[in-house]
Amino acid sequence: MASALLLRHTHAVETAAWLVVVTYAGAFVRLALQRAVAAVFPELPRVLFPDFLANVVGCAVMGFLVEQAALPKGTPAYIGLTTGLCGSITTFSAWCAYMALLLGGAAGTPQDLALCLLAGWSFAVVSYDFGRHTAVLLAFLCRKLRKRDDAQEKTPLQPSAAATVFLRSLPTVFALLLFALVRA
């Protein structure tokens, strides 16, 4: 009984630790994307709210993570990456606030509202699906490489090769975002 309680407590603490750490990373990514978009497009079209690109990136990463067999669902790492990282990159509340401004006429016309609603929802769904399909494609390519390596009697790739490739690319992405943040 006590060991089960301790195990649940340990899981909760580990999950909270993941959430705390990656939430900061997600917020940093969102702010870096905001600055990068502002630097490239000083005057955004009214149909695109300032966090549009962050929502697209966050949804794509979420889709990618959902398809990862190497990242078991319900683990602290999975909860941290999906809820903490992706939840901090995307910002549904900022999008809703922008919709309220459009609805009230303070930031645009009713046509802008309709287009922004359409763009916000559709790009979120398309980005999520893009992330899922990217993960499936990467897993397929890794399986092909593993079969080729097995045929050549080389060391096969690890089962988590798709996740490893993704996680190894994160420092590069963060470095590019940091560069964009510093330059903006």
Side-chain angles (χ1 to χ4, degrees), residues 7-54:
L7 185 61
R8 273 195 312 242
H9 178 70
T10 304
H11 186 272
V13 168
E14 189 178 348
T15 300
W18 266 94
L19 286 170
V20 167
V21 171
V22 299
T23 298
Y24 285 107
F28 172 75
V29 169
R30 180 171 27 92
L31 293 173
L33 288 170
Q34 282 175 346
R35 285 202 174 169
V37 167
V40 175
F41 302 105
E43 182 110 5
L44 272 178
R46 284 190 300 241
V47 257
L48 298 180
F49 59 102
D51 291 313
F52 182 80
L53 182 60

Side-chain angles (χ1 to χ4, degrees), residues 25-124:
F28 172 75
V29 169
R30 180 171 27 92
L31 293 173
L33 288 170
Q34 282 175 346
R35 285 202 174 169
V37 167
V40 175
F41 302 105
E43 182 110 5
L44 272 178
R46 284 190 300 241
V47 257
L48 298 180
F49 59 102
D51 291 313
F52 182 80
L53 182 60
N55 282 0
V56 167
V57 169
C59 288
V61 172
M62 175 71 84
F64 186 89
L65 292 171
V66 163
E67 285 296 322
Q68 289 302 307
L71 193 60
K73 314 291 188 266
T75 62
Y78 181 81
I79 294 168
L81 290 172
T82 55
T83 304
L85 181 69
C86 296
S88 295
I89 294 173
T90 60
T91 173
F92 186 68
S93 62
W95 182 63
C96 288
Y98 189 72
M99 295 301 104
L101 288 174
L102 286 175
L103 185 60
T109 65
Q111 293 85 1
D112 292 335
L113 173 66
L115 287 173
C116 195
L117 281 169
L118 181 65
W121 284 110
S122 61
F123 274 90

